[in-house]
Amino acid sequence: MTLDLAAFAKDKGIKYFMISYTDLFSGQRAKLVPAQAIAGMQEEGAGFAGFATWLDMTPAHPDLFAVPDASSVIQLPWKKDVAWVAADCMMEGELVGQAPRNVLKKLVKEAEAAGKRVKTGVEAEFFLITADGAKISDEYDTAEKPCYDQQAVMRRYDVISEICDYMLELGWGAYQNDHEDANGQFEMNWEFDDALKTADKHSFFKFMVKSIAEKHGLRATFMPKPFKGLTGNGCHCHISVWSNDGKTNVFADREAEFGLSAEGKHFLGGIMKHASSLAAITNPTVNSYKRINAPRTTSGATWSPNTVTWTGNNRTHMVRVPGPGRFELRLPDGAVNPYLLQAVIIAAGLDGLRSNADSGPHHDIDMYAEGHLVKNAPRLPLNLLDALRAYDEDEGLKQAIGSEFSEAYLKLKHQEWNAYCSHFTQWERDSTLDI
């Protein structure tokens, strides 16, 4: 039975709904709808001008309607009279093929048709910075190795505990919070779930973290590399695949190497096969490539990959297998679109299953110290343009995710790259003014 949002509003004391969708550049767009109008909106959707957001549309396009998915509704724990609900984008009665949540839902259905239920968990790292964005917010957070610093995490107890309390209240199964490897950086973990549910939670988490930071006079950023010399914001994704009833982990085989079944190896093989193309989605900004191709940080390691390799429980590779029945993709960063992250993983993994893709050899070395010894593994793209070109050349992945999406994404991202290239930087003046 579909939840009646009007009845939900009456029961929970909701005055307003935020009908929200995420565009191609991860912008979260919403309309604030009074509860008295939600019944009509639930049926027909809230109207938007698609061109006014980052979708490949023109001002001449008809109205885009964001139809709320009632199963995703969340009452804001910090503002109880408002509820957030993820929406699916429609135009003239048809799903918009380029809209990220629609892309993911299509791939979830394809996985189900193949008897597979993809479950994931994300580790969305962020910095707490000053309201003007100029520096980290804690002037005493200066340690060379600040990871797990108990004094630093307790100095931000009010912010972190408030967010964690809300995740517990929402039933997400929050289980740990820590100060991360960079000064001013934090990570908060909750239980894994079906891919679409994880994407909705990831989207809401970013909104919640930013809102609570602002409430405390701070600013939260998920920018991949906001500060030179400090570890960047990753968004590691833990992946497992189950039977459609959710009872059997088809990746798990305790008799196999690393506890990863043949199907798990083939799914991983799809990730490895498409890794350079994946980067266009998992690392979607110019700044992303300051993280995955970064020099040594002040803490001693970037904790991010630069080569397409996999391993056991070793954090210096693109993929690690920390235990039986799952693996961790360490490529994505904080700018990744919550829905496209899940979509591209499923698309690459399903291709790996269909083609019995070979995951290739694993490497047990420290890639930061001995990566030069690996001769046959491709390097990850050095910049956004290289990633976009790799994605554009990967016809199989483009078709798997969807041709309408791929065409729109590549068009807008190339525009973004061109805008970046036309921007004059201080580095150029410093390097060439006196030539």
Side-chain angles (χ1 to χ4, degrees):
M1 293 290 291
T2 301
L3 176 69
D4 185 319
L5 290 177
F8 178 84
K10 186 175 181 181
D11 180 56
K12 300 291 186 179
I14 303 296
K15 293 182 179 178
Y16 290 94
F17 286 86
M18 296 183 70
I19 298 179
S20 174
Y21 73 90
T22 301
D23 67 21
L24 290 173
F25 284 13
S26 296
Q28 294 180 315
R29 312 293 181 164
K31 281 198 171 180
L32 195 63
V33 174
Q36 289 91 330
I38 196 61
M41 295 289 183
Q42 183 168 6
E43 184 176 345
E44 298 182 4
F48 291 79
F51 174 73
T53 72
W54 288 114
L55 293 171
D56 182 23
M57 295 178 181
T58 72
H61 271 80
D63 285 345
L64 178 148
F65 286 95
V67 181
D69 180 347
S71 67
S72 69
V73 69
I74 297 174
Q75 184 175 17
L76 302 193
W78 66 95
K79 197 168 186 62
K80 297 285 191 179
D81 57 351
V82 178
W84 176 93
V85 59
D88 298 324
C89 295
M90 308 279 293
M91 186 173 286
E92 296 186 318
E94 300 291 335
L95 288 168
V96 176
Q98 64 178 280
R101 196 170 191 268
N102 292 345
V103 173
L104 173 56
K105 291 180 77 171
K106 176 182 75 76
L107 283 155
V108 167
K109 288 181 180 178
E110 289 181 14
E112 289 175 352
K116 302 294 187 285
R117 184 171 173 179
V118 181
K119 296 190 178 187
T120 59
V122 294
E123 301 174 356
E125 297 170 342
F126 60 92
F127 282 80
L128 290 175
I129 59 179
T130 55
D132 62 3
K135 57 186 178 180
I136 65 171
S137 61
D138 181 358
E139 63 180 308
Y140 301 109
D141 190 350
T142 58
E144 181 179 345
K145 285 186 175 288
C147 204
Y148 316 123
D149 188 324
Q150 65 182 12
Q151 292 299 128
V153 76
M154 288 305 290
R155 284 196 296 272
R156 286 289 169 259
Y157 174 83
D158 289 350
V159 179
I160 301 301
S161 64
E162 184 172 352
I163 297 166
C164 188
D165 285 346
Y166 294 152
M167 288 195 289
L168 291 168
E169 181 182 330
L170 293 171
W172 288 12
Y175 59 89
Q176 64 183 12
N177 314 288
D178 66 80
H179 190 293
E180 267 298 322
D181 192 61
N183 306 109
Q185 186 184 46
F186 299 87
E187 179 179 304
M188 308 180 72
N189 301 122
W190 66 92
E191 290 179 352
F192 72 102
D193 208 336
D194 293 325
L196 180 60
K197 291 183 179 178
T198 291
D200 283 337
K201 290 175 183 176
H202 184 186
S203 181
F204 185 81
F205 177 76
K206 294 181 74 172
F207 167 53
M208 176 165 62
V209 168
K210 292 176 182 178
S211 297
I212 303 309
E214 289 172 7
K215 175 182 172 183
H216 288 267
L218 307 176
R219 186 173 180 178
T221 180
F222 294 83
M223 182 179 177
K225 189 77 168 180
F227 300 105
K228 183 178 179 180
L230 298 183
T231 303
N233 281 323
C235 187
H236 305 152
C237 189
H238 292 259
I239 305 156
S240 58
V241 174
W242 299 65
S243 56
N244 273 348
D245 62 8
K247 294 180 180 179
T248 303
N249 182 344
V250 301
F251 274 15
D253 182 352
R254 293 190 177 275
E255 302 302 316
E257 187 178 33
F258 301 115
L260 198 61
S261 70
E263 284 192 292
K265 286 280 187 69
H266 293 320
F267 196 102
L268 173 58
I271 298 292
M272 303 299 287
K273 172 183 174 182
H274 297 289
S276 294
S277 310
L278 292 183
I281 307 295
T282 58
N283 307 88
T285 70
V286 169
N287 179 256
S288 294
Y289 299 86
K290 303 296 193 296
R291 168 186 169 263
I292 63 172
N293 291 296
R296 180 186 177 102
T297 63
T298 56
S299 70
T302 65
W303 301 104
S304 60
N306 55 28
T307 307
V308 183
T309 57
W310 73 278
T311 185
N313 201 350
N314 177 337
R315 287 180 169 87
T316 66
H317 294 256
M318 189 188 81
V319 175
R320 74 172 178 127
V321 185
R326 65 184 170 100
F327 62 81
E328 177 191 41
L329 179 62
R330 298 178 60 79
L331 180 58
D333 63 44
V336 69
N337 187 303
Y339 299 100
L340 298 181
L341 168 60
Q342 304 299 327
V344 78
I345 286 170
I346 296 173
L350 288 181
D351 179 65
L353 288 173
R354 285 190 294 264
S355 62
N356 292 328
D358 184 359
S359 58
H362 70 272
H363 299 276
D364 297 323
I365 62 173
D366 177 349
M367 283 296 291
Y368 298 152
E370 302 177 288
H372 61 282
L373 299 177
V374 180
K375 301 300 182 184
N376 298 319
R379 296 277 295 181
L380 288 166
L382 291 173
N383 54 56
L384 179 60
L385 180 61
D386 286 349
L388 293 174
R389 286 171 171 168
Y391 181 78
D392 198 16
E393 292 171 1
D394 194 334
E395 293 295 337
L397 188 63
K398 283 198 300 183
Q399 292 300 316
I401 300 180
S403 56
E404 182 180 338
F405 160 76
S406 295
E407 183 178 344
Y409 188 79
L410 285 167
K411 176 183 175 181
L412 294 183
K413 279 294 174 180
H414 275 294
Q415 289 178 2
E416 181 181 34
W417 174 260
N418 291 338
Y420 164 70
C421 289
S422 67
H423 175 69
F424 286 87
T425 65
Q426 186 61 43
W427 181 90
E428 293 171 88
R429 292 184 60 82
D430 293 343
S431 301
T432 59
L433 193 64
D434 293 321
I435 287 178

